[in-house]
Amino acid sequence: MRFINDLHFQFSELVADENLKPYAYLLSKRLSEGNVCIDLDIEDLDGEYKSWSEKIKKIIPAFSEVNISESTNMLSVDPKDKKPFIVFNDKFYSYRYFNYETRIINKIKEFIVNEKDEISQRQHELKKYSEEILKLQDINLDITDWQLTGCLNSYLNNFSIITGGPGTGKTTTIAKLLMLFYTIDPSLKVAIAAPTGKAAIRMLESLKNNPLSGQEPLKSKVEELEVSTIHRLLGVRNNSHYFKKNENNPLDFDVVLVDEASMIAVPLFAKLLDAIDSLKRVVLLGDKNQLASVEAGSVFGDLCNASLLKNSDSLNVFNSERISFINSFLNVNNQIVDNGYSDDNLLNNHITELILNRRTDEGSKIIEALSVAIIQEKVEDVKELLIGTSNSLKVDNDYNKELFEKFIAGYEAYIKEPDIKKAIEKLNDIRVLCAVREGKHGIYAINKRIEIYLQQKNLLRINAENYESRPILVTKNNKELNLSNGDVGIVRKGSKGNMMAYFIHKTGEILEIQPEFIGSYETVFAMTIHKSQGSEFKDVLIVLPENKENRLLTKELLYTAITRAKKRVTIQGTEEIIVQTVQNRVHRISGIIDRINN
């Protein structure tokens, strides 16, 4: 194999057929960017080839010089004909990712076909408990009660999606749904999972703190709930990308609830659905506008977008029969209005979007207004909000040192807190979020800058790698230590005088671990926006790079960062950078929307 320091070139070198080499190179490149395939209809192949290095072009032929129709040994156009690559619906895939996509779509179809035999019985069960269901309704609303609608819909269906932004009540909806399930069948076996340990723990904490968890039957069930990462739920095999739970050995649960589903990449999404019996129920929850997974694909967002009616931005699409049934449980003011159901869409009747932000404080309202303007790409609205006088939103065009230091001075609270649990909670009240890792506005430089400032203020004494009160973020699962990727803890001197790392376990107990045993972890005064998904903080400082051409700067990234804040958000970045970011969107290429709709 010829060596060029280019991962995509190394991949193309594995392809013997010269006609496929440029396509293999481009596919590897697109996969690394989060796409599942190449869209041959829209891809400018000649323009793309011109952008490649001269070294690559001397070895790999141009697209205009090859003919993939002659590549019969390695390329298929028939899904039943398994070859390394396939062209399907004018999209060029590796067969592996085409297979993942196919499994996802086919399994969703299985869920939906199998639920049809259960709908009548489930409707009967719901009617039997109509008085208990009425207690779950929000009687103070004068608009559709989408929370209860999502619960009823998820009870009826084998496959359901509930999506909504921060503050719309996804946790309350889960609590209501669990109340519904356990009221009708107390013996039901339910699992709750999330892509990261942090997201799973936060879901459990939020659920325990929800008022409904103090009421029966949920009160006696909440401690028994299985809450874990998706990897742990499926059962990791050492040194293998296969799981113990699969289509031949499915999960032993009646209901699987999956939170933060927008973070799930295509391979894990396929394996998760494989492991759930299509006669059981699965409910996917998440924010369709958030950043997609770090790996290839944006399955959750694609599924939501596949259900959109033409000339509409509403995901709440139900047929007349479903509307009539759900409305029978709702007050007149809270009922669903018929919105033009389309029979030809597989996912209609299966997606509920929570629309109303339940947070009423000024900070939440400002954050919601800004996040909506960003997602809808309303640049003038964004500009107007940025120049406002609200204490909940500040914008620093000059990367002001004093403003930065005033924010990070907030870390003093956790450093001076002697109680370990309270210290970790105070640490998680504020966070600096960065778009990038490298550069002066990346997490490495920002973390170092914060350390220096806190040391100058005599709050830290950085005399070793693991100094007193060092905040750390676990970056790799460690099953033996009960640590998950995304867990945040602090280093403090232990009872024997040596430095120990402390974390809050999902049970609420404190874990004490020698830092050397953890494996992969890093300082977390600042963290990437990607890593912050699944977390919320009272105060957030967002530091954007000054290079507006940075491809990471998209409206989804900025939306995700802003919606991590519950009370206040400060943005360090020029108006030009922010506006450019709002106008850039993540567009991940896959075949899910076309294949679902056709």
Side-chain angles (χ1 to χ4, degrees), residues 413-426:
Y414 95 86
I415 294 171
K416 289 190 172 181
E417 173 57 62
D419 183 270
I420 298 263
K421 187 173 183 180
K422 289 180 180 177
I424 295 173
E425 290 170 349
K426 288 181 178 180

Side-chain angles (χ1 to χ4, degrees), residues 10-284:
Q10 300 302 326
F11 178 74
S12 70
E13 281 287 88
L14 299 173
V15 178
D17 192 328
E18 287 293 311
N19 287 305
L20 288 178
K21 280 189 181 293
Y23 291 92
Y25 182 91
L26 180 56
L27 180 61
S28 176
K29 187 178 176 185
R30 291 292 178 259
L31 283 167
S32 72
E33 295 166 353
N35 302 289
V36 173
C37 54
I38 303 169
D39 191 330
L40 299 176
D41 274 345
I42 64 173
E43 187 77 59
D44 178 8
L45 297 177
D46 291 334
E48 171 63 30
Y49 185 78
K50 288 177 184 177
S51 71
W52 296 354
S53 72
E54 292 303 318
K55 279 185 180 179
I56 297 296
K57 288 191 281 191
K58 284 179 181 178
I59 300 172
I60 298 180
F63 291 96
S64 58
E65 296 171 1
V66 299
N67 184 358
I68 60 172
S69 64
E70 296 177 1
S71 303
T72 55
N73 292 329
M74 298 190 72
L75 179 70
S76 169
V77 293
D78 181 356
K80 296 177 182 178
D81 184 13
K82 295 183 180 180
K83 291 177 181 175
F85 301 98
I86 182 170
V87 172
F88 188 82
N89 286 350
D90 291 321
K91 292 180 174 64
F92 184 93
Y93 296 83
S94 70
Y95 193 85
R96 178 186 172 205
Y97 272 87
F98 177 77
N99 183 44
Y100 285 142
E101 201 174 84
T102 301
R103 282 156 55 187
I104 291 168
I105 293 166
N106 287 346
K107 191 57 180 275
I108 291 173
K109 288 178 179 178
E110 276 185 46
F111 279 118
I112 292 173
V113 167
N114 287 335
E115 76 191 18
K116 290 178 180 177
D117 294 332
E118 304 293 331
I119 295 292
S120 178
Q121 174 60 29
R122 290 173 182 172
Q123 287 179 333
H124 176 74
E125 292 165 355
L126 289 171
K127 287 177 182 177
K128 185 178 177 181
Y129 290 90
S130 59
E131 289 187 16
E132 287 81 356
I133 293 171
L134 285 173
K135 296 174 185 176
L136 299 177
Q137 187 174 184
D138 189 340
I139 58 174
N140 296 316
L141 288 179
D142 57 2
I143 62 170
T144 302
D145 188 342
W146 292 117
Q147 287 185 355
L148 186 52
T149 297
C151 293
L152 295 168
N153 213 40
S154 299
Y155 189 89
L156 293 170
N157 297 335
N158 283 2
F159 178 83
S160 301
I161 288 174
I162 298 175
T163 182
T168 55
K170 292 189 290 294
T171 302
T172 298
T173 304
I174 292 175
K176 288 180 178 181
L177 181 57
L178 291 172
M179 285 284 282
L180 189 59
F181 278 132
Y182 288 134
T183 297
I184 295 174
D185 184 358
S187 66
L188 214 61
K189 298 172 74 173
V190 179
I192 300 179
T196 67
K198 177 65 179 175
I201 290 170
R202 183 170 162 267
M203 167 51 63
L204 183 60
E205 290 173 347
S206 299
L207 200 53
K208 287 181 177 179
N209 292 331
N210 190 281
L212 286 173
S213 294
Q215 303 175 28
E216 294 295 354
L218 188 54
K219 182 179 179 180
S220 57
K221 292 288 186 179
V222 72
E223 295 298 334
E224 303 172 9
L225 284 171
E226 292 272 351
V227 180
S228 69
T229 63
I230 296 171
H231 284 81
R232 191 170 294 180
L233 178 70
L234 298 180
V236 175
R237 293 182 185 272
N238 291 332
N239 303 314
S240 172
H241 60 271
Y242 294 104
F243 292 101
K244 295 174 184 176
K245 295 296 181 180
N246 50 52
E247 65 267 37
N248 299 317
N249 182 30
L251 292 163
D252 185 24
F253 292 99
D254 302 301
V255 180
V256 178
L257 306 178
V258 185
D259 195 26
E260 297 291 350
S262 66
M263 297 169 63
I264 309 174
V266 170
L268 184 58
F269 215 113
K271 293 168 188 177
L272 172 65
L273 294 187
D274 281 346
I276 303 173
D277 189 327
S278 60
L279 296 173
K280 309 295 185 181
R281 294 181 180 99
V282 59
V283 183
L284 305 175

Side-chain angles (χ1 to χ4, degrees), residues 293-359:
S293 60
V294 176
E295 299 173 62
S298 52
V299 184
F300 186 79
D302 285 347
L303 291 174
C304 290
N305 289 328
S307 73
L308 284 171
L309 290 174
K310 290 179 181 177
N311 304 316
S312 171
D313 58 1
S314 174
L315 300 181
N316 294 312
V317 183
F318 306 95
N319 65 19
S320 297
E321 182 184 346
R322 181 65 58 91
I323 290 173
S324 176
F325 180 78
I326 292 176
N327 280 348
S328 68
F329 295 91
L330 302 176
N331 291 330
V332 174
N333 291 341
N334 307 141
Q335 292 183 348
I336 307 170
V337 177
D338 201 324
N339 53 6
Y341 175 86
S342 172
D343 270 322
D344 59 2
N345 194 300
L346 178 71
L347 293 174
N348 292 159
N349 277 354
H350 292 83
I351 299 179
T352 307
E353 183 174 16
L354 308 178
I355 296 171
L356 179 66
N357 189 328
R358 306 297 180 110
R359 296 173 183 167

